[in-house]
Amino acid sequence: MPAARPSYFQALAAERPDIALCRASAVVAKAGEAHAAATELGVGQHLVLKMLDAVGDCAQQTLAAELRIDRSVMVTVCDDLERSGYIRRERNPKDRRSYAVTITAAGRERLRTAEVAIPGFLAGAFAALTPEERVQLTTLLGKLLATGGASE
């Protein structure tokens, strides 16, 4: 019996890593959104809480830039987190045009709860890869992101 021929998309992905990466990113993003819906904490919300917990208070613009979230989307993310009592926003005393964002005790607790589910989510989202391949993928993606890829 002849070997199965790769699908058109498999052949295309082998030829065009940009397309493969975009499609893989969409698959992982969809899984991430499903996970976020199940845990009732959006991906952007999770990232904001995680960064605030790690680095402390910072400007909303800094959060947007560091997490690569569009500034207009960041406003909505912060609005939702503030309504839930997970963050506080106050005028930045160093720059009255910006907001200083602070994680609250409730936000830290919500983050801890959400973090418990992450290993299971990652195991499912990357089940097709061995642990070594996941490390390799993470390393390669880190290199692409560090150089900015083609453009941002």
Side-chain angles (χ1 to χ4, degrees):
M1 180 180 270
R5 211 177 66 180
S7 72
Y8 175 77
F9 185 77
Q10 289 170 322
L12 179 64
E15 179 184 317
R16 296 278 310 270
D18 59 324
I19 292 171
L21 184 58
C22 286
R23 295 304 183 261
S25 176
V27 167
V28 173
K30 186 175 180 181
E33 290 303 325
H35 173 76
T39 61
E40 299 179 357
L41 188 66
V43 174
Q45 294 171 337
H46 187 134
L47 293 175
V48 167
L49 292 178
K50 191 168 180 70
M51 182 171 165
L52 290 172
D53 189 55
V55 304
D57 304 354
C58 61
Q60 197 168 297
Q61 295 94 322
T62 302
L63 287 167
E66 285 288 324
L67 296 174
R68 297 180 179 169
I69 296 174
D70 184 85
R71 290 180 357 174
S72 63
V73 172
M74 182 58 73
V75 170
T76 303
V77 168
C78 287
D79 285 347
D80 293 343
L81 287 169
E82 190 172 39
R83 253 190 309 278
S84 298
Y86 298 148
I87 65 165
R88 275 190 328 273
R89 281 188 292 190
E90 299 167 342
R91 287 285 180 193
N92 187 341
K94 297 175 187 166
D95 180 358
R96 302 287 296 158
R97 296 169 296 170
S98 70
Y99 286 99
V101 183
T102 306
I103 189 170
T104 64
R108 278 196 175 81
E109 183 57 34
R110 184 67 186 94
L111 177 62
R112 275 191 283 286
T113 302
E115 289 283 295
V116 169
I118 294 298
F121 159 70
L122 292 175
F126 294 96
L129 303 177
T130 66
E132 294 80 17
E133 289 170 331
R134 279 179 57 185
V135 169
Q136 185 178 20
L137 176 63
T138 301
T139 301
L140 294 171
L141 292 173
K143 286 175 84 170
L144 280 176
L145 292 170
T147 61
S151 66
E152 287 191 50

